[in-house]
Amino acid sequence: GNLDRITMGFAMVVRVVIPTDPSALSSEEQNAVLAAATMDLSACLSEVRPEESEAFRDVKFYLDSLSSRIPSDKMQGLLAAVTPSCFQVDEANALTALVKGWGDLKVELEVIWDLFNCSADDFIVIRVLSLRPVGSTRAAVLYYWSYAKFRQRLELMRDAANRRIAPCSPVPGTAGTPEEA
């Protein structure tokens, strides 16, 4: 069978499976079909090249310079944490462009290295900027978020964008406002 996947945007993967006669497949091919059928979104996104992310390109120079100063196993752990967060930052920036009133915000990823700290997630800091603060010609930092806080905020941003794209409408056959449906 065909095990192609199409990744659209930041959060959707469509799997194309063309059924074949399972008895015609070798056991190795059957195992491959089963593994592909159970692959989750994060596994699919791990196949995306980090260089495709604007946020990754923004921190790449720093990561390259850091790679010569820290052990390779720690660097691999850091890259494993930074790569998906870069795509999430790209998504957050796309969402800010979509939702009215958020257009002057920019989300950036910062990497802070602490040799005494062992968790790679702790090295990721998210900075939220206002690109056009009132009375200024320079961008202004509004917030610094931990990566955990950013993931929570990203979920809220997704919800707000979904409401903007597909506002709630009454269920057919009910009366009243969308809130009453």
Side-chain angles (χ1 to χ4, degrees), residues 59-71:
V59 296
K60 185 174 181 343
F61 178 77
Y62 178 70
L63 292 173
D64 287 346
S65 69
L66 194 60
S67 68
S68 65
R69 297 189 308 242
I70 65 172

Side-chain angles (χ1 to χ4, degrees), residues 41-54:
L41 177 63
S42 62
C44 294
L45 291 178
S46 71
E47 297 174 357
V48 178
R49 295 180 32 187
E51 294 80 18
E52 295 174 6
S53 164
E54 181 181 341

Side-chain angles (χ1 to χ4, degrees), residues 13 37-38 118 121 125 179:
V13 175
T38 59
C118 295
D121 276 359
V125 176
E179 292 79 19

Side-chain angles (χ1 to χ4, degrees), residues 10 41 70-71 80 88 90 101-102 104 128 131 147 150 152:
F10 298 97
L41 177 63
I70 65 172
Q88 291 169 333
D90 291 341
W102 290 359
D104 68 337
V128 181
L131 299 177
Y147 184 47
F150 167 67
Q152 293 171 348

Side-chain angles (χ1 to χ4, degrees), residues 2 20 23 37 49-50 53 91 98 119 131 136 138 146 152 176 178 180:
N2 186 336
T20 60
S23 63
R49 295 180 32 187
S53 164
E91 178 184 5
L98 185 66
S119 172
L131 299 177
S136 177
R138 297 179 50 186
S146 68
Q152 293 171 348
E180 295 169 344

Side-chain angles (χ1 to χ4, degrees), residues 107-165:
V107 180
E108 294 182 340
L109 181 134
E110 299 289 328
V111 178
I112 300 171
W113 185 252
D114 178 358
L115 292 174
F116 301 107
N117 197 330
C118 295
S119 172
D121 276 359
D122 293 339
F123 306 133
I124 299 169
V125 176
I126 304 300
R127 179 170 60 175
V128 181
L129 301 168
S130 173
L131 299 177
R132 294 182 297 265
V134 177
S136 177
T137 58
R138 297 179 50 186
V141 176
L142 299 176
Y143 308 104
Y144 281 103
W145 292 331
S146 68
Y147 184 47
K149 177 78 162 193
F150 167 67
R151 288 192 312 260
Q152 293 171 348
R153 296 293 180 161
L154 182 57
E155 283 300 320
L156 296 173
M157 292 171 77
R158 288 173 180 152
D159 291 343
N162 285 334
R163 285 191 303 275
R164 170 91 169 110
I165 294 169

